[in-house]
Amino acid sequence: MFVYNKLFYVFIMMTLLVSTNKNEIPNIKKKPNVLILFSDQHNKKTMGFENHPDVITPNLDKLSKESIVFDRAYATRGICVPSRMSLMTGLYPRTLGLMDNNEETSVTDEATSLASIFQYNGYKTFAFGKRHLKGGGDKGWDIRKEVHAEEGDHGNYLSWITEQGYQSEFSYDWAAEFGRGPKGSKDENVKIPIADLGTRISKLPFGYSMEAYTALETIKMIDQQKNSDQPFFCFSSFYRPHQPYNPIKKFMDMYDVSKWGEGTKLKSAIKIPASFYQPTKDLPPLLQFQRNGGNKVWNMDKAFKNEQLWRDFIGAYYALITEIDYYVGEILIALDKANIKEETIIIYTTDHGDFAGNHGMVEKAAAGHNVYEDILNIPLMIRIPGKTVRGKHTAELVTLTDIMPTLIDILDLKTPKLNNKLEGLSLEKLILKGKSIEREYIVSESWFQSTVITKSKKLGIMQENLVNPKQDYRDFGDMFFDRITDPLEIKNGINDPKNKKDIEILKGYFNDFKNKVSGLGFKEINNKLKNGNTKNENPR
């Protein structure tokens, strides 16, 4: 009997070794699936559970009650690619050398992606929607279907919407910001009028937007994987509420934009943002330039003369969030129907925010800010079935660099040899045991402004900008906000003597950050550009 059992054991182990490819680990007990629901440019305060007077988000509200909610989560940079790469690599933009959307360095090329780590641990990996990643941060996907025609290996939204017969309608949406159809479309070189503040109602029918496509592909994947012995990692990434602001009529009709009112939740018209009328002179230079009509898409000079344009934009932004919320709900229903919600970790977050009318601004003014809470403070909620304390909020300071080490620890993932040490902190003990990570500060930085954030204070330090010398705002000076006395961030206290001690403490934190974070890519880019070679930002 002993001989028989021993031979049977050897047979089973040999079978596992033969059937497992070199990147997979034998899966005796299936690990939880991981689903990251990701939006682009979602202002944290624009959700129902955040007590916003207008925005309707029943599904995100419900998810927040089942998750741990991070009230003080921050983007590592208030623009798409650097922030997304921090999520996918666990590295700061300073180390990546990636502080706008275009840079590539040896660090971005050699970075190990979160998808690659999941793949290394036997997961099947999927990316649906907008990835907008670089180099090593975009590796490790088994299946990826993009929005853009040039980036989807296994399909893309443009091809899909063309097959549905609505390419012209999508081109009309896209042109609201770009004045032409998307790359790869028949309208790519056709001039189509832009729209005021990049805003107009979509001509697409309900169910045919970029968000619908991302949800459709995610739901199909869930149905295909529901009986699989292999866990999945899925990055389900919505393009919106990023501009152009083209809500489907069904969602726009939920908001009364005919006048300023007391808020949708009081069955009134939308409420005017609290800092809407901040004086232009108090804003940083690029924001002043845009406010005065310097950008012919974000024609805010025209909008301040006709505030209906402002209401159209703000209502459209809210409607896009409500559409995302709808499709988040559809995905969660699909998990329930597949009977796998309780074996799936769910994360909802975004890359950065949008002014959404605060400070009298539209979009994110990517080339001239990196300080305001509207842009840097982001939604983050994590649901771990059976382990997270439901509906718990935490004020701990966290960033997107923390997601990778957190998932590695919670799931006990093995990692290949990493070319760069992870720079985020694991939130495992905070999430599972409520133990503080004791982080005193975090830093978010661009080429022109590095911002140090503590529990109640914020210092934006203007920097020499070798990447684009025209975006050197040191003459304007640094920016200091006390978020207890000035939560709207409209009073720059940099020259107030009573803030001198706090400012020196935050400067010390910034020096500490520079000493602790490798900054390899930052040095590489600066060495390349020290002779005046410049690159412009692509704020897509």
Side-chain angles (χ1 to χ4, degrees):
M1 187 68 175
F2 173 78
V3 174
Y4 174 81
N5 286 341
K6 186 175 181 180
L7 288 173
F8 180 73
Y9 173 78
V10 171
F11 170 76
I12 291 296
M13 292 306 296
M14 289 182 68
T15 302
L16 282 170
L17 289 170
V18 169
S19 63
T20 305
N21 73 41
K22 62 182 179 180
N23 289 324
E24 293 180 348
I25 294 169
N27 212 357
I28 305 302
K29 182 179 179 182
K30 182 180 176 183
K31 290 183 181 292
N33 308 307
V34 177
L35 173 61
I36 298 181
L37 299 169
F38 198 84
S39 57
D40 191 328
Q41 208 161 295
H42 186 173
N43 182 305
K44 178 182 178 292
K45 297 299 183 184
T46 53
M47 291 183 283
F49 73 89
E50 292 281 353
N51 297 315
H52 194 278
D54 289 293
V55 184
I56 302 166
T57 54
N59 297 299
L60 290 171
D61 297 350
K62 181 181 177 183
L63 183 61
S64 75
K65 293 176 182 177
E66 301 174 353
S67 307
I68 180 169
V69 179
F70 295 85
D71 293 329
R72 302 297 303 282
Y74 285 88
T76 53
R77 162 69 164 109
I79 195 172
C80 296
V81 177
S83 195
R84 288 163 180 261
M85 284 289 285
S86 287
L87 167 69
M88 286 295 177
T89 67
L91 303 174
Y92 282 99
R94 172 174 287 263
T95 294
L96 291 163
L98 182 61
M99 289 201 250
D100 69 22
N101 280 344
N102 291 328
E103 284 113 8
E104 295 180 13
T105 68
S106 62
V107 184
T108 61
D109 291 342
E110 296 170 1
T112 301
S113 72
L114 184 56
S116 294
I117 289 175
F118 275 110
Q119 204 174 54
Y120 186 78
N121 284 267
Y123 278 69
K124 189 160 186 179
T125 58
F126 302 87
F128 303 122
K130 180 180 178 180
R131 296 192 315 282
H132 216 190
L133 299 165
K134 289 279 187 181
D138 198 23
K139 293 180 179 178
W141 304 112
D142 290 314
I143 300 291
R144 56 183 191 176
K145 297 186 178 183
E146 243 280 359
V147 167
H148 303 294
E150 67 270 28
E151 295 181 359
D153 297 336
H154 304 96
N156 59 75
Y157 171 75
L158 180 59
S159 297
W160 179 78
I161 200 64
T162 301
E163 291 170 2
Q164 308 307 311
Y166 293 113
Q167 181 184 301
S168 295
E169 287 79 358
F170 176 55
S171 292
Y172 173 80
D173 287 357
W174 194 255
E177 179 183 6
F178 297 105
R180 56 178 174 78
K183 186 174 180 179
S185 74
K186 64 181 177 60
D187 303 308
E188 180 179 352
N189 297 311
V190 176
K191 289 185 178 181
I192 304 171
I194 60 172
D196 292 319
L197 275 63
T199 302
R200 58 182 169 221
I201 306 296
S202 178
K203 290 184 177 181
L204 289 166
F206 170 70
Y208 289 88
S209 65
M210 290 183 281
E211 286 56 58
Y213 174 77
T214 298
L216 175 67
E217 292 297 336
T218 304
I219 290 167
K220 281 166 57 178
M221 179 277 298
I222 289 169
D223 188 59
Q224 292 164 0
Q225 293 295 116
K226 63 185 178 184
N227 295 319
S228 175
D229 292 330
Q230 184 181 20
F232 67 78
F233 167 63
C234 180
F235 183 52
S236 183
S237 179
F238 299 105
Y239 194 93
R240 299 287 175 43
H242 188 286
Q243 77 272 2
Y245 305 102
N246 308 117
I248 301 294
K249 187 176 185 299
K250 169 187 173 74
F251 298 103
M252 189 67 186
D253 286 347
M254 298 170 73
Y255 297 95
D256 179 358
V257 298
S258 63
K259 57 185 179 296
W260 298 118
E262 295 304 314
T264 303
K265 291 180 180 176
L266 294 178
K267 301 187 184 305
S268 178
I270 63 170
K271 192 170 184 177
I272 193 168
S275 60
F276 182 72
Y277 289 119
Q278 182 178 6
T280 300
K281 66 180 178 59
D282 294 343
L283 298 170
L286 190 281
L287 274 63
Q288 291 187 28
F289 172 79
Q290 293 198 355
R291 268 272 204 105
N292 291 325
N295 183 302
K296 297 309 177 185
V297 176
W298 315 128
N299 45 3
M300 286 168 269
D301 57 331
K302 182 178 179 181
F304 275 110
K305 293 175 183 176
N306 176 12
E307 289 187 2
Q308 184 60 53
L309 298 178
W310 273 114
R311 290 190 292 272
D312 289 342
F313 150 63
I314 294 169
Y317 183 78
Y318 297 165
L320 289 169
I321 293 170
T322 298
E323 181 175 8
I324 289 169
D325 180 84
Y326 173 83
Y327 286 115
V328 165
E330 292 295 291
I331 291 169
L332 297 179
I333 288 171
L335 286 172
D336 269 331
K337 287 183 177 179
N339 201 29
I340 58 172
K341 186 176 178 182
E342 295 310 308
E343 54 189 70
T344 302
I345 293 173
I346 300 169
I347 299 173
Y348 179 81
T349 191
T350 191
D351 47 8
H352 54 79
D354 188 298
F355 282 109
N358 291 298
H359 303 282
M361 288 296 301
V362 62
E363 65 106 25
K364 57 191 176 291
H369 86 283
N370 202 72
V371 67
Y372 290 107
E373 202 79 352
D374 294 294
I375 309 304
L376 299 184
N377 188 204
I378 56 175
L380 173 61
M381 57 184 97
I382 300 177
R383 181 188 189 274
I384 304 176
K387 293 188 177 181
T388 41
V389 179
R390 295 181 168 221
K392 176 181 173 60
H393 285 245
T394 175
E396 295 275 347
L397 296 170
V398 302
T399 80
L400 289 176
T401 58
D402 301 330
I403 299 298
M404 180 183 281
T406 299
L407 289 173
I408 288 171
D409 282 358
I410 286 177
L411 293 168
D412 192 25
L413 300 177
K414 291 179 169 50
T415 59
K417 183 179 179 181
L418 302 176
N419 290 310
N420 297 278
K421 181 182 177 182
L422 297 182
E423 294 174 332
L425 296 180
S426 172
L427 307 178
E428 178 192 26
K429 291 180 180 178
L430 171 62
I431 294 171
L432 302 184
K433 298 180 181 179
K435 185 175 180 180
S436 173
I437 58 174
E438 300 180 348
R439 184 182 259 156
E440 293 182 292
Y441 71 90
I442 55 174
V443 172
S444 175
E445 58 181 341
S446 65
W447 289 111
F448 47 82
Q449 189 175 40
S450 300
T451 297
V452 186
I453 303 165
T454 66
K455 293 289 176 68
S456 61
K457 307 292 193 296
K458 184 186 288 184
L459 175 66
I461 304 168
M462 295 298 188
Q463 305 282 6
E464 179 183 15
N465 188 351
L466 293 177
V467 173
N468 191 337
K470 292 181 180 179
Q471 294 168 7
D472 187 328
Y473 305 120
R474 287 175 293 170
D475 287 346
F476 177 79
D478 297 339
M479 303 174 73
F480 175 85
F481 297 112
D482 183 327
R483 299 208 63 258
I484 302 299
T485 60
D486 180 25
L488 297 179
E489 299 181 323
I490 57 177
K491 300 172 185 176
N492 182 5
I494 194 67
N495 295 318
D496 191 329
K498 72 179 182 182
N499 296 324
K500 184 176 180 181
K501 182 178 179 180
D502 286 326
I503 290 169
E504 290 306 311
I505 290 172
L506 268 64
K507 285 182 178 178
Y509 284 147
F510 185 51
N511 288 331
D512 182 60
F513 174 79
K514 290 188 289 184
N515 288 332
K516 288 180 178 178
V517 174
S518 85
L520 286 175
F522 179 89
K523 295 170 187 174
E524 185 177 316
I525 290 290
N526 273 292
N527 287 337
K528 288 180 182 178
L529 300 178
K530 64 183 178 181
N531 293 323
N533 182 27
T534 63
K535 286 187 178 183
N536 293 320
E537 293 200 35
N538 169 15
R540 188 177 71 187

